[in-house]
Amino acid sequence: MKKHDQDFMKRQNRLTVFEIIKHQQPISRASIAKQTGMSPTTVSRIVAELAEEGYLLESEQVSAGLGRKSTLLEMVDAAVLSVGVELDRHQVNIGIVDLQGNVIAMSQYPRSVEESPEVTLERVGTEIDQLTKSNEIDCERIIGVGVGLPGIIDNDTGEVMFSVQLGWRNVRLAERLKEITGYDVAVDNELKAKALAEHMKGAAIGSQRTVLLGFGNGVGSAFIMEGEIYRGRTNSAGEIGHTTIDPNGMLCDCGKAGCLQTYINIKSLLSEANKIRPVRSIEELFEAKKAGERWALHLIERALMYMAITINNVVCMYNPDSVILSGELTDKFPEILDEVVDLCYSKYVWEPLRGAFRILKSELHEQGVVIGSGLISQNCFFALE
Ligand SMILES: [Zn+2]
């Protein structure tokens, strides 16, 4: 074997052992060897390395049956920390995330819509600094920063190709934020980050195939297969909001007509509502519905129908075991979930698939993108090391 192939194998084995301990702790060396097919010597060598670097703890536990003592391995959760950042149109959330995806400190602040990438990133740098200082975080333990935002992101280079919500095009985010903070920076689409977080810590723990849908200022999805984000060729898999429903329909902000999201997202609902009378917020639209205004009822019911249709379409496409609903619409108006679920089962989900998946509510809410981005940063760190 060539030298670089050997190095690659070593890194790969190390990552495999690390991941198994992380997800199955407490666990014995023997059990790791059995699962991976590695020799006990290899496992012991990797474990010794990880323990020396401060990632692992050993504990003696008496097994139930035979009363024999065995040594089990556990992660030191705070041995590795990363920063997770969610960049949204109106708000920025920043959190310090440990190995298990726990948020040990968090801050948020409003962002002005007009703000340039440079101003946004400089502020992120300052806020990370303040957050670590005010919480007395040992910066030596921070291995990197992960940033999640809406849009098409080149996750290899960390460049934001295009984000309608932020109005950004070709922004070399990872490169610039690294210059500002000194940390390695990973960048990804927010829904992909959120789906990863829900899979590890939220609604979809233990799921083998998870689809996460986001209904808010846009409509999008992310697919996690056996713990891995499905990315497609250019990290754009899941951009379901721009599938065409009606080529003669309303204009979408992507420039096409009749995209799925024009029937569901907040911006389109408000723009339709304003044809009837001035409506400034999505809350006002829901109030109008409550007050019995028929046009509001029609708009919202149509949106719920298209949400059910979206669920049917992704379920037919990916055959997942779990579908998580997330985003501003379901967070602000949780009552619509029951209606969407009813529509799915009574009408819109293709019959052979009706019992084949669960519809779940996002559990992590506004921490989801922060946790997921932090975890993506950790994954990059361990994969490269
Ligand atoms: Zn579109």
Side-chain angles (χ1 to χ4, degrees):
M1 223 191 301
K2 280 186 196 147
K3 173 88 173 70
H4 70 262
D5 291 340
Q6 278 175 4
D7 288 348
F8 179 76
M9 280 282 290
K10 272 189 186 165
R11 284 206 308 265
Q12 201 59 42
N13 287 345
R14 188 182 144 100
L15 186 63
T16 306
V17 170
F18 189 85
E19 287 291 320
I20 288 178
I21 300 171
K22 189 166 141 186
H23 292 292
Q24 299 178 33
Q25 63 179 331
I27 188 171
S28 68
R29 288 175 176 78
S31 166
I32 298 172
K34 199 171 158 195
Q35 279 185 54
T36 57
M38 290 177 205
S39 73
T41 330
T42 305
V43 172
S44 291
R45 178 183 55 75
I46 296 173
V47 165
E49 264 174 39
L50 292 171
E52 200 184 306
E53 289 158 29
Y55 297 133
L56 295 184
L57 276 180
E58 293 190 29
S59 62
E60 293 256 297
Q61 296 199 6
V62 181
S63 66
L66 300 165
R68 229 186 314 179
K69 275 188 182 170
S70 59
T71 308
L72 298 179
L73 304 161
E74 274 176 78
M75 304 298 318
V76 179
D77 289 347
V80 170
L81 299 174
S82 58
V83 181
V85 180
E86 174 178 18
L87 288 186
D88 223 335
R89 194 170 152 81
H90 298 286
Q91 184 166 307
V92 179
N93 297 324
I94 301 182
I96 311 285
V97 178
D98 73 12
L99 267 178
Q100 296 299 324
N102 300 307
V103 177
I104 58 174
M106 183 142 172
S107 72
Q108 47 189 213
Y109 57 91
R111 169 183 178 274
S112 111
V113 176
E114 303 301 323
E115 210 172 84
S116 72
E118 182 59 27
V119 172
T120 299
L121 296 182
E122 276 178 9
R123 173 92 192 260
V124 167
T126 313
E127 294 284 338
I128 291 174
D129 228 29
Q130 278 179 6
L131 187 65
T132 50
K133 281 194 184 117
S134 60
N135 290 279
E136 294 174 358
I137 305 282
D138 176 5
C139 290
E140 295 283 300
R141 290 170 179 249
I142 296 179
I143 50 84
V145 178
V147 183
L149 70 162
I152 305 290
I153 316 295
D154 183 332
N155 65 305
D156 285 329
T157 62
E159 183 172 347
V160 179
M161 309 312 291
F162 185 42
S163 170
V164 176
Q165 282 92 331
L166 294 174
W168 291 3
R169 211 178 254 281
N170 302 110
V171 174
R172 294 156 86 146
L173 199 159
E175 195 179 301
R176 184 64 192 119
L177 194 56
K178 183 175 180 170
E179 283 168 6
I180 293 170
T181 63
Y183 296 117
D184 282 331
V185 177
V187 188
D188 217 323
N189 171 273
E190 55 165 8
L191 287 184
K192 291 187 169 73
K194 200 190 249 184
L196 192 69
E198 292 285 352
H199 178 264
M200 177 157 173
K201 272 208 84 68
I205 292 173
S207 156
Q208 294 299 302
R209 284 170 175 73
T210 317
V211 170
L212 176 127
L213 292 169
F215 297 113
N217 284 312
V219 170
S221 71
F223 183 45
I224 304 280
M225 194 163 71
E226 283 154 19
E228 300 271 335
I229 300 171
Y230 179 72
R231 298 184 176 282
R233 159 88 175 76
T234 59
N235 203 28
S236 307
E239 289 291 342
I240 192 169
H242 300 288
T243 52
T244 307
I245 296 289
D246 175 5
N248 299 312
M250 282 172 281
L251 272 182
C252 177
D253 50 23
C254 73
K256 290 195 304 137
C259 291
L260 172 66
Q261 68 175 26
T262 62
Y263 297 88
I264 302 173
N265 72 352
I266 293 173
K267 196 174 154 193
S268 307
L269 291 176
L270 290 181
S271 115
E272 286 292 287
N274 276 282
K275 289 178 182 168
I276 307 297
R277 67 166 174 82
V279 175
R280 278 156 309 181
S281 66
I282 190 71
E283 284 84 358
E284 264 184 51
L285 176 63
F286 273 75
E287 274 160 29
K289 178 198 166 210
K290 245 190 204 157
E293 293 185 51
R294 292 187 66 147
W295 59 271
L297 184 69
H298 166 75
L299 264 186
I300 291 171
E301 284 193 338
R302 190 178 69 176
L304 300 188
M305 174 185 78
Y306 277 108
M307 285 163 81
I309 287 173
T310 309
I311 293 171
N312 176 58
N313 290 354
V314 294
V315 163
C316 286
M317 187 104 78
Y318 293 122
N319 192 193
D321 55 48
S322 312
V323 175
I324 305 173
L325 307 186
S326 75
E328 207 176 324
L329 274 175
T330 53
D331 282 350
K332 279 189 174 160
F333 310 100
E335 69 274 13
I336 65 177
L337 281 171
D338 289 342
E339 283 183 60
V340 172
V341 172
D342 277 352
L343 286 170
C344 282
Y345 291 128
S346 64
K347 240 180 180 170
Y348 292 103
V349 169
W350 185 44
E351 215 160 341
L353 292 179
R354 273 185 201 174
F357 68 100
R358 309 172 292 168
I359 301 178
L360 306 166
K361 196 169 170 290
S362 149
E363 284 179 7
L364 302 172
H365 303 288
E366 54 179 26
Q367 288 199 336
V369 179
V370 165
I371 294 172
S373 306
L375 293 174
I376 286 171
S377 151
Q378 293 173 19
N379 289 348
C380 291
F381 174 74
F382 287 112
L384 289 173
E385 206 181 28

